[in-house]
Amino acid sequence: MSRTEQTELTVMVMVQKKGTDLVAVEKRKKGQWDGLIFPGGHVERGESFARAAVREAEEETGLTISALQFCGVVHWAHRERRERYLVMLYRAEGEGELLPATAEGENIWMPLAEFCAAEGKSPAMDEYLSCFLGETGELFAEYDDGGTDTLVRQQLLGTES
């Protein structure tokens, strides 16, 4: 029996404006991840996760990205098909002029505390924040064609909470 799965590789980056508490937020209006979300996207063939994170953040914000730091992983596994959707999460600093908008949506600076409390975040962003803020390092959920289960936080030692 094969242990391989078809896997979609993606990244997401919480970009903090250097020297402030502001984070770059997209007001996304493009499919199933609509709402307030951090920049991110797909890993290209032959590209590392870290390089994809920098590229995606720079493309979607127009900022120069530095101090990239890995902060967690999210994976969604299909209950029946051998498919998985993997998101590597990073924090970084950004400098420069924030693009007002891209094909992804409108970009704004927002205080991190305001983002954390905001209504209208993209689905699962509250759970993703637990990784971005260092509360956990891994999130996992199974899904089927009818929907998803709640993401489960995985502690560093592998216990669920």
Side-chain angles (χ1 to χ4, degrees):
M1 178 167 100
S2 173
R3 293 183 179 207
T4 61
E5 295 178 313
Q6 184 72 27
T7 305
E8 191 170 346
L9 304 174
T10 65
V11 295
M12 185 180 289
V13 186
M14 182 178 81
V15 179
Q16 189 165 353
K17 187 174 187 176
K18 193 170 185 173
T20 75
D21 70 337
L22 301 174
V23 291
V25 176
E26 293 178 354
K27 291 182 177 180
R28 190 169 179 168
K29 295 178 182 156
K30 186 182 172 189
Q32 73 184 52
W33 300 103
D34 286 355
L36 301 175
I37 193 168
F38 295 139
H42 288 87
V43 177
E44 301 295 334
R45 184 183 173 116
E47 185 176 47
S48 72
F49 294 119
R51 181 65 205 129
V54 170
R55 178 185 52 76
E56 285 288 347
E58 288 181 345
E59 286 176 2
E60 293 184 13
T61 67
L63 302 170
T64 300
I65 302 301
S66 64
L68 187 72
Q69 186 176 39
F70 178 76
C71 56
V73 62
V74 181
H75 43 122
W76 304 87
H78 196 282
R79 283 190 184 90
E80 296 168 10
R81 295 190 300 266
R82 301 183 67 78
E83 296 175 358
R84 192 171 291 247
Y85 183 81
L86 200 61
V87 189
M88 297 296 174
L89 304 176
Y90 292 87
R91 289 186 296 262
E93 290 183 347
E95 290 185 271
E97 282 296 315
L98 183 64
L99 292 173
T102 67
E104 304 295 326
E106 179 186 349
N107 288 322
I108 58 170
W109 287 114
M110 181 181 282
L112 179 57
E114 184 179 321
F115 178 79
C116 291
E119 296 290 323
K121 288 190 287 292
S122 182
M125 275 307 296
D126 285 327
E127 290 85 358
Y128 281 39
L129 280 166
S130 69
C131 289
F132 286 117
L133 301 176
E135 297 166 6
T136 190
E138 180 180 1
L139 299 170
F140 176 77
E142 290 184 302
Y143 70 98
D144 57 29
D145 295 330
T148 64
D149 279 348
T150 302
L151 282 166
V152 176
R153 294 180 187 195
Q154 304 287 318
Q155 300 304 316
L156 294 179
L157 298 177
T159 59
E160 296 178 3
S161 66

